[in-house]
């Protein structure tokens, strides 16, 4: 398997593929991981993926600098800013949503962790190596002339300007530019004394001469100031000192990056043996912190499907379901992101089409088409409330399986499939199609009902017919799926 791009999503794809026992080569044209902090918020669902990969504790460790920086703050300047109360949805107990808490860690701190983990897991990770072109035929993908690389499939994690996507002629659709152009100023300054007592994730600065938002990168020395406008040639040290409201004598501007929030989704996620993941497949404004998180879910889902196709456990047609599932999910995340703005005081009129935020952060999007067996008459997953109930096409709800709260329903599938049964499991154990059967007495599962979970924790089938699971597996994966 070839992964192109060693950003956060490409590295996650390599890890997921190794988790499924697939041999992987990853090429990244840069010599190092990203020097830019970029994404910092990793939601429940991404942390669950890292948990499955055995990396959650390592990621939390990499996040220790920002461990107490969950709050938002607002002020005329940073020196005058006040923390806002920690936002919690009234209708959800945050501690019961997931076995993992979300995590605030800058992308430039996380990527080295993922790179080392991918190498430890046996991926052939080649930085300073660019893919300059590729060819595909019925058997695989190769560099032009097949001189140095040949692989069964190519995972394109080569970012928003994806050369692979362009070479395939895949266009993008969506709202395009959303809101105003912006500039991110990444700088160093020891602000520990100013920040103490008002630690923040984002601090909205309302000074009329320096409006914008300050993001904590390590909570002490490294910061990003985001402000609207196109000019990059401003007197940034002066403007930053105005925003900070303190002299900050050691302030040092590290980079100034203009960017435009955009909402664009690839018109196809797959072309032959090539599959797009991450920003190559979708870009979205950052206000829901969904860009990297959506990419991590792409990699998590594509990984098991590629592994099944490669091992012969499923026909290659299974891979068609990647586009059928992840493209609507990418569109949903991008559209919801485009509907959000930076409005920490919550003074604007909320968009009536905003989904419940936990639908985004806990992987609540429901697949309606793909590697699923939908039951007639099931209510769809609600969008304006967070009410996971083990519906087909959704992530299985989290419930602890032991009093010590160490094992979750989310630990039962991945890398294999799992059958969760409410009540006596024995009738199901007679022929579960080779899938591990677990008893689960949970509020969302009436006695006698079972859920068939895919390796990505998504409910593929739900029902009471004990003869159904092997048949469903055969329907979804093909005739070789079920051991005789
Ligand atoms: C200011 C800002 C804030 C953000 N905040 C958040 C947030 O809080 N939460 C969130 O989820 N997302 C956030 N995002 C978005 C997030 O950073 C991106 O979604 C994420 O980086 C996408 O990862 P990726 O691996 O798909 O692409 P990239 O990070 O762009 O990685 C692509 C990689 O592919 C390599 N590459 C390209 N072409 C080739 C080639 N031909 N051969 C070899 N290598 C190649 C590139 O060098 C690059 O390293 C933010 C983005 C910005 C700009």
């Amino acid at each position: 398997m070839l992964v192109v791009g060693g950003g956060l999503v490409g590295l996650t794809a390599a890890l997921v593929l190794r988790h499924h026992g697939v041999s992987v080569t990853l090429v990244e044209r840069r010599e190092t991981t990203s020097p830019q902090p970029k994404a910092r918020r990793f939601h429940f669902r991404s942390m669950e993926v890292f948990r499955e990969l055995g990396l959650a504790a390592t990621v939390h460790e990499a996040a220790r600098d920002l461990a107490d920086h969950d709050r938002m703050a607002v002020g005329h300047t940073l020196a005058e800013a006040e923390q806002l109360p920690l936002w919690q949805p009234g209708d959800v107990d945050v501690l019961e949503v997931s076995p993992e808490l979300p995590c605030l860690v800058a992308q430039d701190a996380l990527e080295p962790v993922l790179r080392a983990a991918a190498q430890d897991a046996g991926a052939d990770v080649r930085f300073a190596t660019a893919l300059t072109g590729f060819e595909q035929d019925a058997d695989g993908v190769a560099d032009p002339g097949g001189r140095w690389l040949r692989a069964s499939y190519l995972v394109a994690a080569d970012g928003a300007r994806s050369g692979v996507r362009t070479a395939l002629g895949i266009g993008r659709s969506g709202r395009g530019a959303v809101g105003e152009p912006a500039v991110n100023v990444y700088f160093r300054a020891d602000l520990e004394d100013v920040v103490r007592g008002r630690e923040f994730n984002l601090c909205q600065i309302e000074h009329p001469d320096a409006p914008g938002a300050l993001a904590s990168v390590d909570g002490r020395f490294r910061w990003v100031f985001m402000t609207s406008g196109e000019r990059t040639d401003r007197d940034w040290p002066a403007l930053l000192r105005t925003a900070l409201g303190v002299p900050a004598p050691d302030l040092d501007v590290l980079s100034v990056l203009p960017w435009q929030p955009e909402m664009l989704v690839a018109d196809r996620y797959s072309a032959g043996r090539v599959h797009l993941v991450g920003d190559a497949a979708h870009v979205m404004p950052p206000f829901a912190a969904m860009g990297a998180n959506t990419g991590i879910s792409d990699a998590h889902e594509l990984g098991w499907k590629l592994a099944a196709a490669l091992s012969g456990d499923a026909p290659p047609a299974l891979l068609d379901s990647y586009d059928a599932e992840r493209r609507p999910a990418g569109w949903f995340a991008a559209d919801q992101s485009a509907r959000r703005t930076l409005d920490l005081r919550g003074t604007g009129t909320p968009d009536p089409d905003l989904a419940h935020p936990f639908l985004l952060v806990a992987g609540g999007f429901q697949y309606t088409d793909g590697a699923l067996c939908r039951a007639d008459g099931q209510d769809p997953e609600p969008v304006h409330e967070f009410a996971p109930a083990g519906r087909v096409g959704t992530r299985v709800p989290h419930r602890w399986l032991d009093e010590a709260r160490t094992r979750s329903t989310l630990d039962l599938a991945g890398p294999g499939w799992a059958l969760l049964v409410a009540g006596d499991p024995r009738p199901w154990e007679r022929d579960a199609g080779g899938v591990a059967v677990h008893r689960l007495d949970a509020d969302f599962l009436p006695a006698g009902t079972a859920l068939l979970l895919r390796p990505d924790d998504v409910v593929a089938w739900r029902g009471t017919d004990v003869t159904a699971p092997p048949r469903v597996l055969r329907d979804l994966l093909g005739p070789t799926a079920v051991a005789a």
Side-chain angles (χ1 to χ4, degrees), residues 73-91:
V74 180
H76 188 65
T77 63
L78 172 63
E80 298 158 279
E82 288 184 355
Q83 277 183 336
L84 298 172
L86 194 60
W87 180 84
Q88 306 241 16
D91 56 340

Side-chain angles (χ1 to χ4, degrees), residues 422-471:
D424 186 358
R426 283 170 301 184
W428 300 86
E429 283 165 349
R430 270 177 227 128
D431 184 7
V435 168
V437 180
H438 305 269
R439 181 175 180 145
L440 175 71
D441 294 315
D443 51 335
F444 62 86
L445 209 56
T449 311
L451 299 182
L452 182 61
L453 298 192
R454 311 188 320 191
D456 56 0
D457 308 311
V458 168
V459 178
W461 170 85
R462 176 182 176 129
T464 54
D465 177 358
V466 294
T467 67
R471 204 169 51 243

Side-chain angles (χ1 to χ4, degrees), residues 36-98:
Q36 291 290 335
K38 297 200 286 185
R40 295 171 308 121
R41 166 64 78 180
F42 294 88
H43 296 314
F44 294 110
R45 187 65 193 127
S46 296
M47 293 309 296
E48 290 165 5
V49 173
F50 293 140
R51 176 184 176 92
E52 183 188 329
L53 297 172
L55 288 174
T58 318
V59 172
H60 281 299
E61 172 61 18
R64 65 189 177 283
D65 286 344
L66 293 181
D68 300 318
H69 289 65
D70 260 355
R71 307 269 288 266
M72 301 297 188
V74 180
H76 188 65
T77 63
L78 172 63
E80 298 158 279
E82 288 184 355
Q83 277 183 336
L84 298 172
L86 194 60
W87 180 84
Q88 306 241 16
D91 56 340
V92 180
D93 181 348
V94 175
L95 293 176
E96 300 302 328
V97 169
S98 169

Side-chain angles (χ1 to χ4, degrees), residues 4-10 27-30 38-41 107 129-131 157-159 184 277-279 286 289-293:
V4 181
L8 197 138
V9 175
V27 294
E28 163 55 54
R29 71 174 162 213
R30 284 194 313 240
K38 297 200 286 185
R40 295 171 308 121
R41 166 64 78 180
Q107 196 165 330
T129 308
L131 186 80
D158 54 345
N184 272 16
V277 289
D279 278 16
M290 283 304 293
N293 287 288

Side-chain angles (χ1 to χ4, degrees), residues 301 304-305 314 317-326 367-374 392-394 417 452-456 458-461 472-473 475-477:
E301 178 180 314
W304 75 261
K305 292 182 176 173
L318 172 69
L319 292 166
D320 295 344
S321 67
Y322 174 63
D323 175 88
E325 293 177 357
R326 289 307 302 168
Y367 302 142
T368 53
D369 189 17
L372 312 161
C373 184
R374 281 193 66 78
V392 170
T394 64
W417 290 63
L452 182 61
L453 298 192
R454 311 188 320 191
D456 56 0
V458 168
V459 178
W461 170 85
V472 170
L473 280 167
D475 286 350
L476 298 181
L477 297 181

